[in-house]
């Protein structure tokens, strides 16, 4: 879809400053989808803002993973539901091991934010003494917001009869129509295995095969998916520069620690093929984006590992916007400069 604007929110402070502003200034509706909503500064402040907007007549709808609520945000979620905020606790009883993993905020049918950040101090950095994960979101306006609304409406409406929820007609809403058209072309991709086609994976693989100059990948959990690994090796054979930044054994978060060796193992065939591999130092990396040739980017909740492909519900947006992507690539270069470069297989320390 053409006629959009895109702006990458490259750090937690910038992302949550924008989210807080959009929520506080919402006039009609706020729709949120998130993997987790925490009982910390960020979760509490966001809950307060959503409750305040609800009391002032703004429609507020939130979709969260049913299982994760009990491990992170029971107090914040209870306060919201007690105040009348409509919270959909997403669960598919046929897929008890799967997660609702998408992260999206939409306000007044005009603005949408998609990326990797949950409602937690880990991402917002609102706790000055707490961990500060490295993550990235994107804000967009224009016709792509209407597509985002259509997807959210389909999710919500599917639960209406089952859980006695309300949504209302989508009608002929044209989100962003009152804003100046932008130059960004955006595709909104929703993937819900096993019920939907692997749209995000296909998008990623096609972009890799279309690359002619450079591929930059920043992803926290690179657990090799064969189709992606093969595409990257073939890209190197064509002379395409390929750069990957992922977590090291030291930077990866405690919950994901068991997969650290699996990440390293997945990188083993890439190093001899000439792929430039970098491992994060310091705080955990959580960004999930890929850019190609300085003109294309895909960003969202999708991890480069089989869970995102086979089990978890994900949302990405793919963007053609050279100006915005140039800025994102500049931040990627800064991230590489602060990481460890892997020059040989022996540097990977696979055990």
């Amino acid at each position: 879809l053409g006629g959009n604007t895109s702006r990458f929110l490259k750090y937690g402070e910038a992302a949550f400053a924008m989210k807080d502003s959009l929520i506080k200034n919402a006039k009609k509706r706020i729709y949120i989808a998130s993997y987790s909503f925490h009982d910390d500064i960020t979760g509490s402040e966001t809950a307060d803002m959503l409750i305040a907007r609800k009391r002032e007549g703004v429609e507020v709808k939130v979709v969260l993973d049913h299982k994760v609520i009990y491990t992170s945000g029971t107090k914040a979620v209870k306060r919201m539901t007690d105040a009348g905020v409509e919270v959909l606790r997403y669960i598919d009883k046929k897929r008890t091991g799967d997660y609702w993993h998408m992260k999206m905020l939409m306000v007044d049918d005009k603005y949408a934010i998609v990326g990797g950040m949950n409602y937690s101090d880990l991402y917002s950095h609102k706790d000055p003494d707490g961990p500060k994960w490295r993550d990235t979101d994107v804000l967009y306006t224009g016709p792509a917001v209407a597509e985002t609304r259509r997807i959210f409406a389909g999710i919500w409406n599917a639960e209406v009869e089952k859980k006695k929820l309300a949504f209302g007609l989508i009608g002929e809403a044209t989100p962003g129509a009152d804003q100046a058209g932008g130059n960004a072309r955006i595709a909104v991709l929703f993937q819900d295995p096993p019920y939907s086609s692997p749209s995000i994976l296909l998008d990623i693989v096609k972009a890799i095969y279309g690359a002619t100059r450079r591929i930059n990948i920043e992803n926290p959990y690179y657990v090799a998916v064969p189709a992606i690994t093969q595409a990257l090796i073939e890209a190197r054979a064509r002379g395409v520069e390929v750069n990957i930044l992922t977590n090291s054994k030291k930077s990866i978060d405690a919950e994901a620690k068991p997969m650290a060796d699996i990440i390293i193992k997945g990188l083993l065939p890439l190093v001899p093929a000439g792929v430039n591999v970098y491992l994060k130092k310091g705080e955990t990396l959580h960004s999930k984006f890929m850019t190609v040739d300085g003109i294309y980017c895909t960003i969202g909740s999708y991890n480069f590992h089989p869970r995102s492909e086979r089990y978890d519900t994900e949302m990405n947006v793919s963007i053609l916007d050279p100006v915005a992507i140039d800025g994102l690539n500049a931040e990627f270069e800064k991230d590489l400069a602060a990481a460890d470069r892997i020059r040989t297989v022996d540097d990977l320390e696979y055990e």
Side-chain angles (χ1 to χ4, degrees):
L1 299 167
N4 303 281
T5 68
S6 69
R7 175 183 169 188
F8 291 101
L9 306 171
K10 300 160 192 166
Y11 298 93
E13 294 90 340
F16 277 86
M18 180 60 68
K19 291 177 183 181
D20 291 353
S21 177
L22 289 176
I23 291 172
K24 289 177 181 178
N25 291 287
K27 299 296 189 293
K28 296 179 180 179
R29 55 187 63 92
I30 301 166
Y31 300 150
I32 290 176
S34 185
Y35 169 74
S36 62
F37 207 105
H38 291 243
D39 288 326
D40 57 13
I41 297 170
T42 304
S44 180
E45 288 185 352
T46 305
D48 289 341
M49 287 185 280
L50 294 175
I51 291 169
R53 306 312 292 139
K54 176 68 177 179
R55 287 173 177 166
E56 293 172 10
V58 174
E59 178 188 6
V60 183
K61 288 179 165 58
V62 180
V63 184
L64 300 171
D65 185 274
H66 177 82
K67 301 180 292 298
V68 178
I69 289 173
Y70 294 104
T71 63
S72 63
T74 53
K75 295 178 182 178
V77 173
K78 185 177 187 304
R79 285 203 300 115
M80 288 192 292
T81 55
D82 288 348
V85 173
E86 294 179 271
V87 178
L88 168 59
R89 299 166 178 258
Y90 190 88
I91 185 170
D92 186 336
K93 294 182 179 179
K94 295 180 180 179
R95 300 160 59 201
T96 55
D98 302 356
Y99 288 102
W100 174 264
H101 195 245
M102 66 177 280
K103 292 98 174 172
M104 182 276 296
L105 166 68
M106 186 167 59
V107 173
D108 288 345
D109 298 338
K110 296 179 181 180
Y111 308 96
I113 294 177
V114 166
M117 299 191 206
N118 297 296
Y119 289 86
S120 162
D121 294 345
L122 293 171
Y123 307 91
S124 71
H125 306 169
K126 288 184 177 182
D127 180 355
D129 300 320
K132 296 173 177 58
W133 289 10
R134 169 74 178 94
D135 213 334
T136 312
D137 281 352
V138 64
L139 165 72
Y140 54 97
T141 70
V145 180
E147 177 64 7
T148 309
R149 176 187 169 111
R150 184 191 67 79
I151 293 169
F152 186 87
I155 296 162
W156 193 275
N157 287 341
E159 301 293 318
V160 167
E161 183 176 356
K162 190 190 320 182
K163 297 184 177 178
K164 298 181 179 179
L165 303 172
F167 187 82
L169 297 176
I170 299 175
E172 299 298 323
T174 53
D178 60 339
Q179 300 179 41
N183 297 318
R185 296 172 62 192
I186 296 178
V188 184
L189 303 176
F190 175 72
Q191 187 167 305
D192 189 27
Y195 306 123
S196 62
S197 65
S199 57
I200 299 175
L201 176 64
L202 290 173
D203 186 76
I204 290 168
V205 172
K206 286 180 180 180
I208 293 172
Y209 277 110
T212 60
R213 295 185 293 109
R214 182 180 297 111
I215 299 167
N216 292 331
I217 295 172
E218 186 162 301
N219 202 272
Y221 313 117
Y222 185 92
V223 176
V225 175
I228 294 176
T229 298
Q230 184 62 31
L232 291 175
I233 290 173
E234 293 186 26
R236 279 299 302 136
R238 299 195 306 274
V240 177
E241 177 187 337
V242 180
N243 304 297
I244 297 177
L245 173 64
T246 190
N247 277 306
S248 65
K249 292 184 179 181
K250 294 180 180 178
S251 70
I252 199 167
D253 52 296
E255 185 179 356
K257 213 77 170 176
M259 73 171 68
D261 277 329
I262 301 172
I263 291 173
I264 300 301
K265 185 176 181 180
L267 297 169
L268 290 175
L270 297 180
V271 175
V275 172
N276 300 318
V277 173
Y278 297 81
L279 297 182
K280 181 76 164 59
K281 293 192 292 187
E283 298 277 15
T284 297
L285 175 73
H286 201 256
S287 289
K288 312 167 198 295
F289 66 80
M290 177 179 80
T291 70
V292 175
D293 291 347
I295 60 172
Y296 160 96
C297 174
T298 184
I299 181 171
S301 63
Y302 185 93
N303 290 306
F304 280 38
H305 72 53
R307 275 212 66 91
S308 286
E309 187 51 42
R310 298 175 183 172
Y311 304 106
D312 298 341
T313 302
E314 311 282 10
M315 176 175 278
N316 268 39
V317 291
S318 291
I319 303 167
L320 297 175
D321 187 350
V323 174
I325 291 167
D326 184 61
L328 181 61
N329 279 332
E331 294 299 330
F332 179 76
E333 292 296 329
K334 293 179 183 178
D335 289 343
L336 295 189
D340 284 327
R341 170 81 180 274
I342 302 303
R343 300 187 181 278
T344 69
V345 169
D346 291 338
D347 293 337
L348 288 170
E349 299 181 7
Y350 172 63
E351 300 173 357

